[in-house]
Amino acid sequence: MQPATRREDTVEDYHGTLVADPYRWLEEVSTQETQAWVQEQHSATRTYLDAIPDRGQIKQRYRELFNYPRYSTPYKKGERYFFSKNTGLQNQNVLYTQPALGANMQAVLDPNTLSADGTIALTNQAMSEDGKLLAYGTSKSGSDWQEIRIRRVDDGRDYDEVIRYCKFASIAWRHDSTGFYYNRLPEPGTVPEEDQANYSKVYWHKVGTQQEEDQLVFERPEAKELSFSPFISNDGVYLLLNVWCGTDPKNRIYYREVTSDEPFIRLLDEADASYNFVGNDGAIFYFQTNLDAPRGRIIAIDTTKSERTQWREIVSEQSDVMDFTLIVNQQFVLGYMHDAHHQVKLYNKTGTFLREIELPTLGSIMGVSGEPDDDELFLSFTSFLYPSTVFRYDFERHELKPLWETPHTFDPSGYETRQVFFTSKDGTRVPMFLTHKKGLVLNSTNPVLIYGYGGFDISLTPSFGITPLLWIERGGIYAVVNLRGGNEYGEEWHKAGMLEKKQNVFDDFIAAAEWLIENKYSNPTRIAIEGGSNGGLLVAASMVQRPELYGAVICRVPVIDMLRYHKFTVGRYWISEYGDAEHNPEHFKFMYAYSPLHNVKEGVEYPPTLIMTADTDDRVIPAHAWKFAATLQHAYQGKNPILLRFELKAGHGMGKPTAKIIEEESDILVFLFQTFSMQ
């Protein structure tokens, strides 16, 4: 039983509406009172979870299924290939190189040697063009902050310099390998705390010198909320800046020649669409854009005459969404999403369709690489019942073959994945993937775990995961819903789930459960929902709006307080997606209407709920989860557990070591199996 949480009389006036915030003191994360409260909450949760007899067996089975070799998509620099590998249960993936495919692997960097518990992760890497120098970023305990170092690949020794104050940093090597450009944020303490994620700057770093000697290359202090990510064209001639504002997909592009000290040319400066630089032929730049094409197209801009009337369309908008583009073998390699799963098509430079690369099954491309003048393409393919596998495509033979074998102990032959479509509240057709044992009986009693996200232009395509495998092994159905707010059907699909239309996302998610019930897959007491970050907001809002529809809720690192989220860390990045309730009265109306923290009611039967957060989450601060747990526990006095799980030395999820993943996922599974009596 959780202890009672102190309530205070904090009230704030939002455009004439008085809003109580009795647990605002929990936002002061480092106070003795807050830390004592968190420890009491976590102790109560551990007592509950550790008492479940099945936990040891679940954890052991998770380890068995997770213990298989995993590779990243290789890429080539100079005469070497680079990739990451995990033998199975290593806490962190190890970066390797080899001089030729099939040759002996040489370890370049093993993050497992950087900390005893695996909580220092390799979270950024950029290889010099000759493949001899590695600039790499490490993060501690899941933090978004990075420190960048430089390693000589041949002898494994690091240079002395350490580059700090980096978050979401890009690293762009000059082709002569003398140094690189990077973006960084202000040194903490030099700007007000609310501006710590503002004032992005681009610097030039020369190898072998200290950060204090780095040269400022670009800044726009008059536009403090803009961020600048440098990159260099494949021919090494141009330094480009991707200019972005928070999570808004509409960006800008500036450029100049690498050897120039002239001001940057603001090629695209209206922030009217997304522009992804694909490559160039001299002064002709190719972009993937959704300008006048919500599902994407390829255009060419001659930078010597960049008026919009001179732009050329190379590949027009299709019925499917263009998800990624790169140039390999002097061809456009285009990844399309067809009903939320990938297809790969090849076009020549004039926009003529050449062929489609046939993929193993309905699934996803999780990584892709290749060089403009090479005749090989690498891609990582996965699906719900297909472990991530690296393939090599030979342009001369038109053959796609596995590069490495990824043996797995799980036998998928007794399971299947199907895609279904249902109608949401407003008549919108929404897709959903269902994975389960073959021969499923529709008797309204099957346990279902529904996963969703629904925001920030992020698509949920099929992927392989151990938690879903354990779920379906015990007879469950794993459902993934492709909600509005994502990019599964292009920018219009995204816009239909943001700002004042955010309720559409919750309506889609609710309609998914209703469809499963109507079609006798399950019933409300056997339906669990799960989501993290923006997906944590999703499941919290859905539960608060329709508590009778669910039998369990897994709410991970959630955004909960929609009136104050923008005040913390990088929360202001999300204003273009959510809105600003503090300064915009129209935004306040729709945000207050769905904000989970402000819509919990007394006298309501809420389902068993596991709320999860971590101490080093500097993206979505843990106070969101803490205030939600306290609010639910105060309002609900029934028998269902309302638990708060708190992870130490972990963040929003990035770089989490294998040992912590196994512990965390085992807790989720044991909570669900106990709730649904799934032995």
Side-chain angles (χ1 to χ4, degrees):
M1 191 73 178
Q2 289 83 4
T5 303
R6 179 176 68 83
R7 294 168 63 84
E8 59 184 21
D9 296 327
T10 302
V11 176
E12 195 161 349
D13 187 331
Y14 286 88
H15 316 290
T17 299
L18 298 180
V19 179
D21 195 1
Y23 304 114
R24 184 171 294 185
W25 61 272
L26 287 171
E27 294 176 3
E28 302 297 326
V29 298
S30 59
T31 67
Q32 185 176 355
E33 183 183 18
T34 298
Q35 290 299 310
W37 179 88
V38 171
Q39 185 55 51
E40 285 185 303
Q41 290 282 331
H42 185 63
S43 295
T45 298
R46 286 262 52 97
T47 298
Y48 179 90
L49 295 174
D50 292 343
I52 299 174
D54 208 17
R55 190 178 186 278
Q57 181 182 347
I58 292 169
K59 182 179 174 181
Q60 179 58 33
R61 181 58 176 154
Y62 201 101
R63 287 177 58 87
E64 291 172 0
L65 291 175
F66 207 30
N67 191 11
Y68 70 100
R70 301 179 293 279
Y71 299 85
S72 70
T73 310
Y75 61 92
K76 191 176 183 181
K77 287 294 180 182
E79 298 302 316
R80 318 181 204 213
Y81 295 91
F82 297 89
F83 57 91
S84 295
K85 179 186 177 183
N86 192 307
T87 57
L89 296 176
Q90 290 174 287
N91 270 324
Q92 300 290 343
N93 299 338
V94 180
L95 179 63
Y96 288 94
T97 186
Q98 54 185 179
L101 298 177
N104 290 333
M105 301 177 183
Q106 171 194 341
V108 177
L109 180 62
D110 183 358
N112 298 290
T113 64
L114 303 179
S115 61
D117 57 3
T119 55
I120 296 181
L122 177 63
T123 52
N124 199 352
Q125 58 177 282
M127 201 67 60
S128 63
E129 196 65 18
D130 59 10
K132 294 182 179 180
L133 294 175
L134 167 69
Y136 69 95
T138 56
S139 297
K140 297 179 180 179
S141 302
S143 172
D144 283 332
W145 287 105
Q146 300 174 345
E147 292 184 345
I148 297 173
R149 294 172 171 81
I150 304 170
R151 173 161 297 196
R152 291 192 290 262
V153 173
D154 288 332
D155 63 14
R157 298 181 64 183
D158 285 355
Y159 284 83
D160 291 335
E161 61 257 42
V162 179
I163 297 173
R164 298 181 173 88
Y165 322 125
C166 293
K167 182 182 284 194
F168 313 120
S170 295
I171 301 170
W173 282 94
R174 282 181 58 150
H175 281 206
D176 61 9
S177 300
T178 56
F180 55 80
Y181 302 91
Y182 69 97
N183 56 297
R184 52 160 282 194
L185 294 172
E187 182 177 352
T190 62
V191 296
E193 186 176 352
E194 62 268 21
D195 280 330
Q196 186 57 64
N198 291 327
Y199 296 110
S200 172
K201 298 180 181 181
V202 176
Y203 283 87
W204 159 254
H205 177 78
K206 183 179 179 181
V207 174
T209 64
Q210 297 303 309
Q211 184 176 17
E212 292 74 20
E213 303 173 55
D214 290 354
Q215 299 174 14
L216 177 64
V217 173
F218 189 79
E219 64 174 337
R220 282 191 60 184
E222 83 287 359
K224 66 179 183 179
E225 294 190 350
L226 292 181
S227 298
F228 312 100
S229 300
F231 59 100
I232 288 179
S233 57
N234 274 313
D235 59 10
V237 174
Y238 298 100
L239 169 63
L240 298 97
L241 302 180
N242 177 38
V243 184
W244 48 280
C245 185
T247 55
D248 190 340
K250 297 188 292 292
N251 66 319
R252 313 169 191 221
I253 297 290
Y254 302 165
Y255 80 98
R256 74 182 188 195
E257 291 190 5
V258 169
T259 56
S260 172
D261 289 325
E262 295 297 316
F264 279 83
I265 298 169
R266 300 186 182 186
L267 178 66
L268 300 164
D269 200 28
E270 296 183 18
D272 55 353
S274 69
Y275 298 93
N276 177 35
F277 180 80
V278 179
N280 65 299
D281 288 323
I284 298 175
F285 289 8
Y286 299 104
F287 291 94
Q288 176 187 328
T289 182
N290 59 14
L291 178 70
D292 302 324
R295 300 189 181 212
R297 60 177 178 145
I298 303 294
I299 62 171
I301 300 177
D302 186 338
T303 56
T304 64
K305 45 183 179 180
S306 57
E307 298 81 5
R308 294 199 173 205
T309 56
Q310 301 293 322
W311 294 4
R312 291 186 294 118
E313 181 175 83
I314 305 298
V315 180
S316 63
E317 183 182 30
Q318 309 291 318
S319 58
D320 291 325
V321 176
M322 189 181 293
D323 194 36
F324 61 82
T325 307
L326 68 162
I327 298 173
V328 185
N329 196 46
Q330 292 304 325
Q331 298 174 20
F332 290 116
V333 179
L334 303 183
Y336 284 96
M337 275 190 296
H338 175 76
D339 287 334
H341 57 89
H342 278 126
Q343 298 174 343
V344 181
K345 299 180 181 181
L346 304 179
Y347 288 76
N348 66 20
K349 286 287 190 70
T350 63
T352 301
F353 172 74
L354 300 175
R355 63 184 50 85
E356 181 175 342
I357 299 177
E358 185 175 349
L359 300 175
T361 186
L362 178 150
S364 307
I365 305 297
M366 305 304 286
V368 63
S369 72
E371 295 297 315
D373 294 320
D374 284 353
D375 60 1
E376 60 184 0
L377 167 74
F378 300 101
L379 58 86
S380 295
F381 178 84
T382 186
S383 192
F384 295 110
L385 299 171
Y386 200 107
S388 182
T389 303
V390 177
F391 287 84
R392 177 183 181 272
Y393 179 75
D394 187 319
F395 279 87
E396 292 185 1
R397 299 183 178 183
H398 310 308
E399 289 180 347
L400 184 71
K401 292 184 176 181
L403 184 60
W404 294 297
E405 295 298 327
T406 52
H408 198 277
T409 58
F410 180 80
D411 180 7
S413 61
Y415 302 85
E416 62 182 345
T417 295
R418 296 188 302 114
Q419 188 175 37
V420 299
F421 296 84
F422 62 88
T423 302
S424 191
K425 182 178 180 179
D426 63 357
T428 300
R429 182 175 181 261
V430 180
M432 176 167 57
F433 293 103
L434 302 177
T435 303
H436 51 74
K437 287 182 178 179
K438 291 179 179 178
L440 181 74
V441 178
L442 300 181
N443 57 8
S444 298
T445 63
N446 298 293
V448 179
L449 176 58
I450 309 176
Y451 183 84
Y453 188 79
F456 294 95
D457 212 27
I458 293 173
S459 304
L460 291 187
T461 56
S463 63
F464 188 80
I466 305 305
T467 299
L469 293 190
L470 266 78
W471 179 256
I472 64 176
E473 263 193 344
R474 293 212 178 184
I477 300 170
Y478 183 63
V480 174
V481 194
N482 300 110
L483 308 163
R484 281 176 283 185
N487 190 48
E488 287 89 343
Y489 294 105
E491 183 57 17
E492 294 303 321
W493 191 255
H494 171 219
K495 290 179 178 178
M498 59 185 284
L499 294 173
E500 75 279 1
K501 297 180 180 179
K502 187 66 177 177
Q503 183 60 41
N504 286 337
V505 183
F506 313 135
D507 290 342
D508 291 354
F509 200 60
I510 289 167
E514 292 176 332
W515 185 91
L516 289 163
I517 294 167
E518 291 167 5
N519 288 273
K520 300 187 182 305
Y521 283 85
S522 193
N523 69 75
T525 67
R526 305 284 280 171
I527 293 179
I529 54 176
E530 179 186 1
S533 193
N534 174 73
L537 164 63
L538 166 71
V539 298
S542 299
M543 177 193 72
V544 168
Q545 293 181 20
R546 292 292 302 277
E548 82 288 353
L549 196 58
Y550 310 111
V553 177
I554 306 295
C555 184
R556 308 176 74 161
V557 291
V559 184
I560 294 293
D561 186 344
M562 300 311 298
L563 306 188
R564 290 175 59 78
Y565 77 88
H566 60 290
K567 292 178 173 291
F568 308 105
T569 63
V570 295
R572 63 95 177 162
Y573 284 179
W574 317 326
I575 288 176
S576 62
E577 183 82 12
Y578 292 141
D580 184 350
E582 181 182 15
H583 301 104
N584 189 318
E586 293 304 312
H587 287 187
F588 167 75
K589 290 177 183 178
F590 64 75
M591 297 175 76
Y592 188 48
Y594 74 75
S595 177
L597 186 68
H598 303 97
N599 285 278
V600 174
K601 297 178 175 61
E602 295 185 16
V604 173
E605 184 71 9
Y606 290 108
T609 301
L610 179 61
I611 304 166
M612 309 173 71
T613 187
D615 64 340
T616 322
D617 191 340
D618 50 15
R619 193 175 306 180
V620 179
I621 63 166
H624 282 278
W626 296 347
K627 291 168 70 174
F628 191 45
T631 302
L632 275 173
Q633 291 168 4
H634 172 78
Y636 175 67
Q637 299 298 319
K639 296 181 179 180
N640 292 331
I642 307 294
L643 304 176
L644 175 65
R645 185 188 189 277
F646 185 62
E647 184 71 62
L648 295 174
K649 298 186 73 175
H652 200 59
M654 179 181 65
K656 187 171 292 183
T658 296
K660 284 188 178 291
I661 291 173
I662 293 172
E663 291 289 341
E664 183 174 299
E665 299 298 323
S666 297
D667 282 346
I668 290 172
L669 287 163
V670 76
F671 179 81
L672 293 175
F673 291 158
Q674 173 77 3
T675 301
F676 290 165
S677 300
M678 295 170 63
Q679 304 303 322

